[in-house]
Amino acid sequence: MRQLILLALVGLAAQLVDGGLGMAYGVTTTTLLLVLGTNPAAASATVHLAEIGTTLASGVSHWKFGNVNWQVVLRVGVPGAVGAFAGATVLSNLDTEIAKPITAGILLALGIYLLVRFTRSGVRTDRLGQPLRRRFLAPLGLFAGFLDATGGGGWGPVGTPALLASGRMEPRKVVGSIDASEFLVALAASLGFLFALGSQGINFSWVVALLVGGVIAAPIAAWLVRIVPPRILGVAVGGLIILTNTRTLLRTDFVAAGEPASSITYALIVAVWLGALSYVIAAHRVSRKGADGATADSTGTPVR
């Protein structure tokens, strides 16, 4: 029971992050399941089954708050579903001892990407209103969907920054559209895993626990996307993902690092993580002061 409560809380926290950033639910929850000893295919299958419910709830919540562009949802989500089904099939046919370091490596790379991406800069908002082309969205969806199924996460970390970098959509609509389209990806990946694995290795009580936590958090996250600083959230989650998946890799037979080397590696990661977090918090405070100053005239009186 304690483990199920923990999983529900992780599902809730992961969905709050995912709903605020448009990424990291799958990466965060798959990382936890790998730490608990679940094999990569079963971990990804468990997460994607839970995501059928959480992404549906998240998509509806974002739609109610006006955060969804349905044309983008279809153009990126349908190719994403194709890629996810293919990725689930590939992962299900890999040997567990080979799949574990591959999955942890993908998650580690995504964690590094999150940390670097949100430490370096915020989000781009120029070129708003210009159309996103199908020849950009379709390959993006196909690649992100394949990566999502094989790594247990990746739809958001690939799709959200790519759309933000285009500068053609409001950040809240990028997050909402990616979250809504992830329902198609989660459904296709789940079908791929069920066809390839059956129910082998899938703990359905874990699915329900993650689902319950995620569904509770979905409407809150859709509201928080308007007010929570994405840079701080992105750096915090990125560092956590790097730390946990480094731990997984260092314990595999491919690396088999000793205790002194592992401890030094963990210490370096934590130092970099805390440094990045301090930097973005300071940058956020400076930007807030600048924004507050811009609303006052030369005498310091607020502009009405």
Side-chain angles (χ1 to χ4, degrees), residues 7-35:
L7 285 168
L9 291 173
V10 168
L12 188 148
Q15 184 58 46
L16 284 174
V17 173
D18 192 273
L21 285 178
M23 64 182 81
Y25 180 90
V27 179
T28 304
T29 50
T30 302
T31 293
L32 173 67
L33 293 181
L34 288 178
V35 169

Side-chain angles (χ1 to χ4, degrees), residues 198-223:
S199 60
Q200 181 182 352
I202 300 174
N203 188 324
F204 286 95
S205 62
W206 290 10
V207 173
V208 172
L210 290 172
L211 174 60
V212 169
V215 169
I216 292 172
I220 304 171
W223 171 72

